[in-house]
Amino acid sequence: MKRFSTTLLAASLLTGVLAAPAAVAAPPADDTRPPGLAKKDTLRWFAPEDFAIGTAVAGGGHHLDQPYPDPFPNDLEYRELVGTEFSSLSPENQAKWEFIHPQEDVYNFGPMDEIVEFAEEHGQVVRGHTLLWHSQNPAWLEEGDYTADELREILREHIQTVVGRYAGRIQQWDVANEVMLDNGSGLRTTDNIWIRKLGPGIIADAFRWAHEADPEALLFFNDYGVESIGPKSNAYYELVQDLLADGVPVHGFSFQGHLSTQYGFPGGVEENLQRFADLGLDTAITELDVRMVVPQGQQPTEAQLAQQADYYTRMLDACLAVEGCDSFTLWGFVDKYSWVPVFFPNQGFATVMYDDFTRKPAYCALQETLAEASGKIKHPAFALRDC
Ligand code: XIL
């Protein structure tokens, strides 16, 4: 985003809301909000025009092993919030290879179709995720005995089929996900089947095929651990410059943003976004969550909740401050569906709502920051109470 400076009001805000978890308070008797405003009391409503505030749409992946039915089609309360709170949707797993292409000659488009249709019905944009990754690939692909030519053809066919199916309906695609080694010493040449078997040039091909299939979609590199300026983000900075110099259709670079309160907030996020923007790229925050260590059976402390709210807000502030950072996505918004407890033992509470959809300080801080950025604070007391 850009053009307005945001100041964190979290301190004053948090003082009033740290009593959570509890039911959302009813508006006070002296409430002077215009009728109906409470219904617009959402992240989406407060966000600036043209600033997409997104969520991952829960389904597939780790959810398949949990004792509940697939969330998006089945949990109506959840589904309603997906529609009202957000203006951008990302399939959490429903467009990954193992989900959408489970057998070599079988595509499973139903759940992704449903997300795209839901988004259109609710005036939302969609981020496609993802086309070239080392993880969540189907066994037929990873264990198949294909020649390099065959593999290349498999990737081309997949990208053109999936991207082509949703052409004109996807705002941004994460074409290449997590292709860089964590220490920035180079691309993942071992665990990424495409790079291992076809060489690094396959990345440029993936972008070209995606662009052919949907010339309107903005095509991204997406990764974790790149929020700060450092070896890994530097490696991307060089890679992207090389690809742009070769005329490869790369349009964006995005930070996943899987953060934890046990570590410091990443330094220089805004500067880092800005240097990619200065290359002419769009930027985005695509998978934000802020986990914390909480012993089994206990609740987060007020200090942890305040730190979490601060991290969420600082990430949003950084994006709002940079021109071309117009998409800000939470990797889920309710703890009960978060991937975090499944992948990070003893950690959790990473999203902005408790299991019962009660809002945490982080939710309120995001809403407040968006309201301040858009100027949509109707009257002074409004955003600071009964969030
Ligand atoms: C996670 C999903 O949330 C889980 O449901 C799934 O079991 C594993 O993947 N980086 C990414 C996301 O790019 O696709 C991952 O999503 C989280 C890390």
Side-chain angles (χ1 to χ4, degrees), residues 59-63 92-93 96 129 133 136 177-178 222 224 256 258 287 331 339 343:
H62 78 276
H63 301 285
E92 184 175 5
N93 295 288
K96 291 174 179 171
H129 177 81
W133 193 23
Q136 290 186 266
N177 195 35
E178 304 177 351
N222 184 56
Y224 62 86
Q256 291 182 0
H258 294 294
E287 304 184 15
W331 206 238
W339 72 305
F343 283 83

mmCIF file of all heavy atoms in Angstrom, residues 59-63 92-93 96 129 133 136 177-178 222 224 256 258 287 331 339 343, ligand 1:
data_model
loop_
_atom_site.group_PDB
_atom_site.id
_atom_site.type_symbol
_atom_site.label_atom_id
_atom_site.label_comp_id
_atom_site.label_asym_id
_atom_site.label_seq_id
_atom_site.Cartn_x
_atom_site.Cartn_y
_atom_site.Cartn_z
ATOM 1 N N GLY A 59 -8.719 -26.254 4.626
ATOM 2 C CA GLY A 59 -9.150 -27.506 4.021
ATOM 3 C C GLY A 59 -7.958 -28.278 3.501
ATOM 4 O O GLY A 59 -6.922 -27.697 3.187
ATOM 5 N N GLY A 60 -8.089 -29.609 3.449
ATOM 6 C CA GLY A 60 -6.993 -30.452 2.973
ATOM 7 C C GLY A 60 -5.827 -30.443 3.948
ATOM 8 O O GLY A 60 -5.959 -30.054 5.106
ATOM 9 N N GLY A 61 -4.648 -30.880 3.501
ATOM 10 C CA GLY A 61 -3.439 -30.857 4.327
ATOM 11 C C GLY A 61 -3.662 -31.476 5.701
ATOM 12 O O GLY A 61 -4.265 -32.548 5.824
ATOM 13 N N HIS A 62 -3.217 -30.773 6.742
ATOM 14 C CA HIS A 62 -3.301 -31.325 8.096
ATOM 15 C C HIS A 62 -4.737 -31.523 8.561
ATOM 16 O O HIS A 62 -4.994 -32.337 9.446
ATOM 17 C CB HIS A 62 -2.562 -30.407 9.089
ATOM 18 C CG HIS A 62 -3.324 -29.191 9.491
ATOM 19 N ND1 HIS A 62 -3.342 -28.033 8.743
ATOM 20 C CD2 HIS A 62 -4.151 -28.952 10.557
ATOM 21 C CE1 HIS A 62 -4.114 -27.138 9.352
ATOM 22 N NE2 HIS A 62 -4.607 -27.663 10.442
ATOM 23 N N HIS A 63 -5.658 -30.789 7.963
ATOM 24 C CA HIS A 63 -7.060 -30.915 8.400
ATOM 25 C C HIS A 63 -7.589 -32.334 8.203
ATOM 26 O O HIS A 63 -8.462 -32.776 8.936
ATOM 27 C CB HIS A 63 -7.953 -29.933 7.628
ATOM 28 C CG HIS A 63 -7.554 -28.504 7.809
ATOM 29 N ND1 HIS A 63 -7.807 -27.794 8.963
ATOM 30 C CD2 HIS A 63 -6.898 -27.645 6.991
ATOM 31 C CE1 HIS A 63 -7.325 -26.563 8.835
ATOM 32 N NE2 HIS A 63 -6.770 -26.452 7.652
ATOM 33 N N GLU A 92 -5.665 -22.999 1.252
ATOM 34 C CA GLU A 92 -4.582 -23.442 2.150
ATOM 35 C C GLU A 92 -3.859 -24.654 1.559
ATOM 36 O O GLU A 92 -2.631 -24.745 1.652
ATOM 37 C CB GLU A 92 -5.149 -23.775 3.532
ATOM 38 C CG GLU A 92 -4.069 -24.148 4.535
ATOM 39 C CD GLU A 92 -4.598 -24.368 5.943
ATOM 40 O OE1 GLU A 92 -5.825 -24.324 6.153
ATOM 41 O OE2 GLU A 92 -3.766 -24.603 6.834
ATOM 42 N N ASN A 93 -4.617 -25.571 0.986
ATOM 43 C CA ASN A 93 -4.035 -26.776 0.377
ATOM 44 C C ASN A 93 -4.694 -27.157 -0.944
ATOM 45 O O ASN A 93 -4.177 -28.004 -1.664
ATOM 46 C CB ASN A 93 -4.190 -27.974 1.337
ATOM 47 C CG ASN A 93 -3.391 -27.801 2.612
ATOM 48 O OD1 ASN A 93 -2.160 -27.887 2.618
ATOM 49 N ND2 ASN A 93 -4.092 -27.530 3.714
ATOM 50 N N LYS A 96 -2.686 -27.201 -4.139
ATOM 51 C CA LYS A 96 -1.358 -27.832 -4.137
ATOM 52 C C LYS A 96 -1.414 -29.113 -4.963
ATOM 53 O O LYS A 96 -2.466 -29.749 -5.086
ATOM 54 C CB LYS A 96 -0.931 -28.133 -2.699
ATOM 55 C CG LYS A 96 -0.641 -26.859 -1.894
ATOM 56 C CD LYS A 96 -0.351 -27.157 -0.430
ATOM 57 C CE LYS A 96 -0.054 -25.868 0.332
ATOM 58 N NZ LYS A 96 0.029 -26.087 1.807
ATOM 59 N N HIS A 129 -2.058 -20.840 -4.985
ATOM 60 C CA HIS A 129 -0.925 -21.349 -4.201
ATOM 61 C C HIS A 129 -0.911 -22.860 -4.326
ATOM 62 O O HIS A 129 -1.871 -23.473 -3.877
ATOM 63 C CB HIS A 129 -1.112 -20.908 -2.752
ATOM 64 C CG HIS A 129 -0.080 -21.404 -1.788
ATOM 65 N ND1 HIS A 129 1.149 -20.807 -1.656
ATOM 66 C CD2 HIS A 129 -0.087 -22.430 -0.899
ATOM 67 C CE1 HIS A 129 1.845 -21.425 -0.707
ATOM 68 N NE2 HIS A 129 1.115 -22.419 -0.242
ATOM 69 N N TRP A 133 6.981 -26.448 -6.114
ATOM 70 C CA TRP A 133 7.328 -26.529 -4.693
ATOM 71 C C TRP A 133 7.969 -27.883 -4.447
ATOM 72 O O TRP A 133 7.744 -28.830 -5.209
ATOM 73 C CB TRP A 133 6.044 -26.357 -3.863
ATOM 74 C CG TRP A 133 6.209 -26.101 -2.397
ATOM 75 C CD1 TRP A 133 7.295 -25.583 -1.759
ATOM 76 C CD2 TRP A 133 5.229 -26.344 -1.366
ATOM 77 N NE1 TRP A 133 7.059 -25.466 -0.409
ATOM 78 C CE2 TRP A 133 5.795 -25.927 -0.140
ATOM 79 C CE3 TRP A 133 3.925 -26.866 -1.363
ATOM 80 C CZ2 TRP A 133 5.107 -26.031 1.077
ATOM 81 C CZ3 TRP A 133 3.244 -26.950 -0.169
ATOM 82 C CH2 TRP A 133 3.827 -26.534 1.046
ATOM 83 N N GLN A 136 4.455 -31.384 -0.450
ATOM 84 C CA GLN A 136 3.063 -31.734 -0.765
ATOM 85 C C GLN A 136 2.867 -32.043 -2.254
ATOM 86 O O GLN A 136 1.882 -31.632 -2.869
ATOM 87 C CB GLN A 136 2.111 -30.628 -0.279
ATOM 88 C CG GLN A 136 2.037 -30.589 1.251
ATOM 89 C CD GLN A 136 1.000 -29.615 1.774
ATOM 90 O OE1 GLN A 136 1.307 -28.461 2.082
ATOM 91 N NE2 GLN A 136 -0.247 -30.058 1.871
ATOM 92 N N ASN A 177 7.376 -21.623 -4.869
ATOM 93 C CA ASN A 177 7.269 -21.529 -3.411
ATOM 94 C C ASN A 177 8.490 -22.157 -2.761
ATOM 95 O O ASN A 177 8.838 -23.308 -3.068
ATOM 96 C CB ASN A 177 5.999 -22.267 -2.961
ATOM 97 C CG ASN A 177 5.588 -21.954 -1.536
ATOM 98 O OD1 ASN A 177 5.760 -20.826 -1.073
ATOM 99 N ND2 ASN A 177 5.046 -22.938 -0.838
ATOM 100 N N GLU A 178 9.162 -21.395 -1.912
ATOM 101 C CA GLU A 178 10.258 -21.935 -1.079
ATOM 102 C C GLU A 178 11.345 -22.615 -1.904
ATOM 103 O O GLU A 178 11.805 -23.698 -1.557
ATOM 104 C CB GLU A 178 9.691 -22.903 -0.030
ATOM 105 C CG GLU A 178 8.619 -22.271 0.854
ATOM 106 C CD GLU A 178 7.995 -23.252 1.857
ATOM 107 O OE1 GLU A 178 8.259 -24.464 1.769
ATOM 108 O OE2 GLU A 178 7.215 -22.790 2.705
ATOM 109 N N ASN A 222 7.470 -16.828 -3.464
ATOM 110 C CA ASN A 222 6.947 -16.768 -2.108
ATOM 111 C C ASN A 222 7.848 -17.612 -1.202
ATOM 112 O O ASN A 222 8.263 -18.706 -1.583
ATOM 113 C CB ASN A 222 5.519 -17.357 -2.131
ATOM 114 C CG ASN A 222 4.775 -17.283 -0.820
ATOM 115 O OD1 ASN A 222 4.621 -16.209 -0.249
ATOM 116 N ND2 ASN A 222 4.292 -18.419 -0.332
ATOM 117 N N TYR A 224 9.433 -18.272 3.207
ATOM 118 C CA TYR A 224 9.533 -17.916 4.628
ATOM 119 C C TYR A 224 10.974 -17.503 4.917
ATOM 120 O O TYR A 224 11.887 -17.764 4.124
ATOM 121 C CB TYR A 224 9.143 -19.110 5.523
ATOM 122 C CG TYR A 224 10.053 -20.306 5.352
ATOM 123 C CD1 TYR A 224 11.247 -20.421 6.069
ATOM 124 C CD2 TYR A 224 9.727 -21.321 4.455
ATOM 125 C CE1 TYR A 224 12.088 -21.508 5.905
ATOM 126 C CE2 TYR A 224 10.555 -22.413 4.282
ATOM 127 C CZ TYR A 224 11.737 -22.500 5.010
ATOM 128 O OH TYR A 224 12.577 -23.575 4.835
ATOM 129 N N GLN A 256 6.111 -14.905 3.477
ATOM 130 C CA GLN A 256 5.064 -15.694 4.137
ATOM 131 C C GLN A 256 4.710 -15.088 5.497
ATOM 132 O O GLN A 256 3.558 -14.873 5.817
ATOM 133 C CB GLN A 256 5.522 -17.148 4.300
ATOM 134 C CG GLN A 256 5.635 -17.895 2.976
ATOM 135 C CD GLN A 256 6.029 -19.346 3.145
ATOM 136 O OE1 GLN A 256 6.224 -19.835 4.263
ATOM 137 N NE2 GLN A 256 6.169 -20.050 2.032
ATOM 138 N N HIS A 258 5.646 -16.422 8.799
ATOM 139 C CA HIS A 258 5.340 -17.339 9.912
ATOM 140 C C HIS A 258 6.248 -16.957 11.081
ATOM 141 O O HIS A 258 7.399 -17.369 11.155
ATOM 142 C CB HIS A 258 5.550 -18.789 9.488
ATOM 143 C CG HIS A 258 4.580 -19.229 8.435
ATOM 144 N ND1 HIS A 258 3.224 -19.332 8.681
ATOM 145 C CD2 HIS A 258 4.755 -19.559 7.137
ATOM 146 C CE1 HIS A 258 2.608 -19.725 7.570
ATOM 147 N NE2 HIS A 258 3.511 -19.858 6.619
ATOM 148 N N GLU A 287 1.204 -15.279 4.336
ATOM 149 C CA GLU A 287 0.857 -16.393 5.240
ATOM 150 C C GLU A 287 1.092 -16.012 6.696
ATOM 151 O O GLU A 287 1.618 -16.797 7.482
ATOM 152 C CB GLU A 287 1.697 -17.633 4.893
ATOM 153 C CG GLU A 287 1.575 -18.084 3.457
ATOM 154 C CD GLU A 287 2.345 -19.369 3.150
ATOM 155 O OE1 GLU A 287 2.751 -20.075 4.089
ATOM 156 O OE2 GLU A 287 2.536 -19.656 1.953
ATOM 157 N N TRP A 331 -2.569 -16.595 7.615
ATOM 158 C CA TRP A 331 -2.619 -18.036 7.319
ATOM 159 C C TRP A 331 -3.634 -18.690 8.261
ATOM 160 O O TRP A 331 -3.317 -19.438 9.162
ATOM 161 C CB TRP A 331 -1.238 -18.677 7.421
ATOM 162 C CG TRP A 331 -1.138 -19.907 6.556
ATOM 163 C CD1 TRP A 331 -0.833 -21.183 6.969
ATOM 164 C CD2 TRP A 331 -1.322 -19.989 5.131
ATOM 165 N NE1 TRP A 331 -0.840 -22.041 5.890
ATOM 166 C CE2 TRP A 331 -1.138 -21.332 4.752
ATOM 167 C CE3 TRP A 331 -1.639 -19.058 4.140
ATOM 168 C CZ2 TRP A 331 -1.252 -21.774 3.426
ATOM 169 C CZ3 TRP A 331 -1.765 -19.500 2.820
ATOM 170 C CH2 TRP A 331 -1.563 -20.849 2.491
ATOM 171 N N TRP A 339 -2.557 -24.544 11.382
ATOM 172 C CA TRP A 339 -1.598 -25.628 11.148
ATOM 173 C C TRP A 339 -0.543 -25.687 12.261
ATOM 174 O O TRP A 339 0.145 -26.685 12.426
ATOM 175 C CB TRP A 339 -0.904 -25.416 9.795
ATOM 176 C CG TRP A 339 0.099 -24.283 9.754
ATOM 177 C CD1 TRP A 339 -0.112 -22.974 10.094
ATOM 178 C CD2 TRP A 339 1.482 -24.366 9.371
ATOM 179 N NE1 TRP A 339 1.037 -22.238 9.923
ATOM 180 C CE2 TRP A 339 2.036 -23.072 9.481
ATOM 181 C CE3 TRP A 339 2.296 -25.407 8.931
ATOM 182 C CZ2 TRP A 339 3.378 -22.796 9.181
ATOM 183 C CZ3 TRP A 339 3.626 -25.129 8.623
ATOM 184 C CH2 TRP A 339 4.163 -23.841 8.755
ATOM 185 N N PHE A 343 2.334 -28.722 13.512
ATOM 186 C CA PHE A 343 3.700 -28.693 12.974
ATOM 187 C C PHE A 343 4.743 -28.192 13.976
ATOM 188 O O PHE A 343 5.934 -28.411 13.780
ATOM 189 C CB PHE A 343 3.741 -27.831 11.710
ATOM 190 C CG PHE A 343 3.172 -28.522 10.510
ATOM 191 C CD1 PHE A 343 1.800 -28.541 10.287
ATOM 192 C CD2 PHE A 343 3.997 -29.191 9.607
ATOM 193 C CE1 PHE A 343 1.260 -29.204 9.189
ATOM 194 C CE2 PHE A 343 3.473 -29.849 8.512
ATOM 195 C CZ PHE A 343 2.095 -29.857 8.300
HETATM 196 C C1 XIL B 1 0.587 -25.724 5.386
HETATM 197 C C2 XIL B 1 -0.903 -25.923 5.603
HETATM 198 O O1 XIL B 1 -1.389 -24.895 6.430
HETATM 199 C C3 XIL B 1 -1.190 -27.266 6.232
HETATM 200 O O2 XIL B 1 -2.595 -27.513 6.244
HETATM 201 C C4 XIL B 1 -0.497 -28.390 5.479
HETATM 202 O O3 XIL B 1 -0.682 -29.615 6.156
HETATM 203 C C5 XIL B 1 0.987 -28.086 5.326
HETATM 204 O O4 XIL B 1 1.158 -26.806 4.696
HETATM 205 N N1 XIL B 1 4.363 -22.605 3.872
HETATM 206 C C6 XIL B 1 3.453 -22.696 2.850
HETATM 207 C C7 XIL B 1 2.109 -23.242 3.125
HETATM 208 O O5 XIL B 1 3.726 -22.223 1.738
HETATM 209 O O6 XIL B 1 1.572 -23.898 2.008
HETATM 210 C C8 XIL B 1 2.103 -24.185 4.307
HETATM 211 O O7 XIL B 1 0.768 -24.558 4.595
HETATM 212 C C9 XIL B 1 2.752 -23.510 5.500
HETATM 213 C C10 XIL B 1 4.170 -23.127 5.198
#
